[in-house]
Amino acid sequence: MIERTNQILMIYSLVRQLMLASWCRLSCLFVSLVFFVSISEHLLADELNEDKVHISGFGTVGVVKGGSSNLGYRRDLSVDGVFDGDTTFKTDSLIGLQLNAEINKDFDAAIQIVAKERSVNGVEESLEWAYLRHIMTPQMVIRAGRIGMDLYMLSEYRNLGYSFLWARPPIEFYGIIAFNYFDGLDFNYSASVKKGTLNAKLFLGASESNYAFSGKSTKVNLQDLIGLTVSWENDRWHARLSAATMNGDDSLNKAYDYDQLEQVLALASDFGWKEASLLSRELNSEGDRYYYSSAGLAFNSDSWLVQSEISYIESEFDVVRPYLNEYLSIGYRIDRVTFYSLFSNGSVRGSKNVAPSPPAFLGPDFVFLQEGVQSLYDLNIADQQSISLGVRWNLRHDLTLKAEIGRTWVEANGGLLWAKDDLAKNSQVINTYTLNLNFVF
């Protein structure tokens, strides 16, 4: 018992370092974590065998045609878009490799690397998983390292196109969340309840991702992440509830040159624009807290596949308005072919931000400043609805072909989920065509 307690304390100490580390130190800390745990007497009882190491992989070869002249179609906020009805293989195509190693009956580890289109691409960005798992009891499991962000129903296989029905996860729901993983730890407790399995997971750590804003990439950091997920599932039903909160830093400030804007607003305040100082505080994202909550329900029978999720995002950062998003998917399976429809919606809630007008005596230069602040508000609005029809054909046990046609109604100034060449102030209707080949090996 004392030995087990010492191991847990050692893991916790190293995880604290992991949560505070930069991405450059992540791999070294993970290796150190595995090494120090491995030299304990408990782990030395069993040696690693070759049959305890498993390598697998997955991928997608996909082609997408979509976008308009000023709204570029993309699967989430971390990538650039395809404009003006062009065709690209970049949006959905990817390849992933995963290594699972059983250290002994109480410990195993996993590493997953995914190569795909990103606004910033490198080894650090491609490392999706790198964690050590400790099975304390059959019901209690602890993981430490880089772990999938468990906020939605596709948490563990968002990149694994073979595992879900559609060409890609619904953009109105998943597109705004470009954080696929976090660096930290999670605790999962499972139990048998009413002929199903109940799971309760607590997770904490930090995360970062590169967001593509107005033609440039900005690294967005989330600190002090803490969340809870409760789910229940059996052979046919899967239900889950999730909630999380986290702190932002000044990374969003850098996306729109806040430091320079703050100086100009301070000058405007000195010249008599009283609201300018308030605007300056509202536009500062540093230290603001974000809140996320979601619910999901899925049903899978021999013929019917029905799935739906809804989430709500709000923050203390006034530029980011509360966001409600949901989708409903209905599929019907005939032998190896499944026909499906997908209805999704994402929109800001409540009143939209309106920048106050400067006093008339300040002249046109300050009107231009007010218009710039308003443009910043408008850039951060997502307001759209989509309907998609598609078919999935399971060619083999490890290969599937999908074809999908989607139509999206984007409201005026509601194109946050798209890559933008300008504000796209007019509402638009945009069609998207997709053909994907998904495989596992």
Side-chain angles (χ1 to χ4, degrees):
M1 181 65 182
I2 294 175
E3 182 180 1
R4 177 63 60 85
T5 301
N6 289 336
Q7 289 180 3
I8 295 173
L9 290 174
M10 181 172 57
I11 291 174
Y12 175 73
S13 175
L14 287 170
V15 167
R16 286 192 63 190
Q17 297 180 52
L18 181 65
M19 292 166 58
L20 297 173
S22 67
W23 282 16
C24 295
R25 296 171 56 199
L26 177 64
S27 298
C28 294
L29 284 172
F30 175 73
V31 172
S32 299
L33 182 62
V34 175
F35 173 76
F36 281 111
V37 174
S38 298
I39 65 172
S40 68
E41 293 181 3
H42 183 73
L43 293 178
L44 289 175
D46 291 324
E47 295 182 356
L48 282 174
N49 297 319
E50 291 184 2
D51 59 353
K52 293 184 178 181
V53 177
H54 179 66
I55 299 176
S56 59
F58 55 88
T60 295
V61 178
V63 58
V64 178
K65 178 179 175 64
S68 68
S69 59
N70 55 2
L71 290 179
Y73 187 82
R74 55 183 177 176
R75 63 183 294 143
D76 62 49
L77 296 182
S78 69
V79 297
D80 296 321
V82 51
F83 286 88
D84 207 19
D86 287 341
T87 300
T88 181
F89 285 89
K90 293 182 178 181
T91 300
D92 290 325
S93 297
L94 59 84
I95 184 73
L97 290 174
Q98 183 173 323
L99 184 148
N100 295 82
E102 180 184 347
I103 301 173
N104 64 14
K105 64 183 181 64
D106 291 329
F107 285 87
D108 58 31
I111 294 178
Q112 184 186 97
I113 296 177
V114 178
K116 64 179 182 179
E117 175 71 6
R118 299 177 177 89
S119 58
V120 174
N121 234 331
V123 175
E124 294 176 354
E125 289 78 15
S126 301
L127 186 63
E128 298 273 341
W129 294 356
Y131 64 79
L132 177 72
R133 185 175 68 160
H134 178 30
I135 305 171
M136 299 182 64
T137 71
Q139 292 78 35
M140 175 65 75
V141 174
I142 300 176
R143 297 187 299 178
R146 175 160 290 183
I147 306 168
M149 187 78 77
D150 197 3
L151 293 176
Y152 30 78
M153 300 190 80
L154 301 185
S155 295
E156 296 294 329
Y157 46 91
R158 183 170 173 176
N159 290 314
L160 183 54
Y162 182 86
S163 64
F164 49 78
L165 180 60
W166 327 286
R168 69 190 62 82
I171 291 177
E172 283 77 5
F173 187 91
Y174 286 91
I176 202 168
I177 310 170
F179 297 90
N180 287 356
Y181 48 78
F182 69 97
D183 300 330
L185 74 165
D186 65 15
F187 307 84
N188 188 78
Y189 176 80
S190 61
S192 297
V193 176
K194 292 187 178 297
K195 298 182 180 181
T197 301
L198 176 69
N199 286 282
K201 180 183 291 184
L202 174 68
F203 53 94
L204 60 150
S207 183
E208 62 183 12
S209 179
N210 292 287
Y211 273 52
F213 288 121
S214 301
K216 64 180 180 179
S217 179
T218 299
K219 182 174 289 186
V220 178
N221 301 289
L222 299 179
Q223 307 293 334
D224 301 325
L225 166 69
I226 183 169
L228 176 67
T229 294
V230 178
S231 64
W232 179 88
E233 60 181 314
N234 61 13
D235 292 339
R236 293 200 170 191
W237 291 95
H238 180 193
R240 62 179 286 133
L241 296 171
S242 297
T245 179
M246 65 287 296
N247 269 341
D249 62 0
D250 65 346
S251 51
L252 286 178
N253 291 351
K254 298 174 184 177
Y256 55 87
D257 299 323
Y258 170 77
D259 290 341
Q260 181 177 356
L261 183 60
E262 181 185 32
Q263 295 175 9
V264 176
L265 288 171
L267 181 64
S269 179
D270 293 338
F271 274 95
W273 188 7
K274 297 180 180 179
E275 295 87 353
S277 59
L278 176 61
L279 283 175
S280 179
R281 292 193 296 272
E282 289 181 349
L283 296 176
N284 186 359
S285 68
E286 186 172 5
D288 287 339
R289 197 142 191 93
Y290 297 80
Y291 304 91
Y292 179 92
S293 57
S294 68
L297 182 65
F299 172 76
N300 188 345
S301 70
D302 294 335
S303 299
W304 291 97
L305 298 88
V306 182
Q307 181 168 312
S308 181
E309 290 185 89
I310 183 170
S311 71
Y312 185 72
I313 304 172
E314 60 180 343
S315 76
E316 297 172 349
F317 183 33
D318 288 337
V319 173
V320 179
R321 304 304 301 158
Y323 182 66
L324 179 70
N325 48 346
E326 62 269 317
Y327 71 87
L328 172 64
S329 169
I330 302 174
Y332 187 76
R333 183 188 295 119
I334 303 175
D335 195 18
R336 294 189 298 170
V337 177
T338 304
F339 300 92
Y340 64 87
S341 58
L342 178 63
F343 311 89
S344 52
N345 172 74
S347 58
V348 294
R349 315 307 291 176
S351 59
K352 298 179 180 179
N353 288 323
V354 178
S357 300
F361 64 82
L362 290 179
D365 289 340
F366 288 88
V367 174
F368 180 77
L369 175 60
Q370 181 259 345
E371 291 174 348
V373 173
Q374 186 61 52
S375 296
L376 177 60
Y377 286 147
D378 293 341
L379 277 171
N380 288 276
I381 296 175
D383 193 358
Q384 66 179 62
Q385 303 80 39
S386 294
I387 296 178
S388 300
L389 299 175
V391 58
R392 169 182 172 139
W393 181 15
N394 293 331
L395 302 175
R396 300 189 337 180
H397 70 282
D398 56 359
L399 185 66
T400 185
L401 179 67
K402 302 174 188 175
E404 183 176 296
I405 300 174
R407 169 164 286 196
T408 303
W409 291 262
V410 184
E411 301 300 328
N413 293 322
L416 173 64
L417 300 179
W418 302 70
K420 289 180 282 190
D421 278 347
D422 55 45
L423 280 179
K425 296 183 178 181
N426 299 320
S427 59
Q428 300 186 41
V429 180
I430 304 174
N431 294 329
T432 306
Y433 308 92
T434 306
L435 185 65
N436 279 355
L437 188 67
N438 306 120
F439 55 91
V440 293
F441 57 90

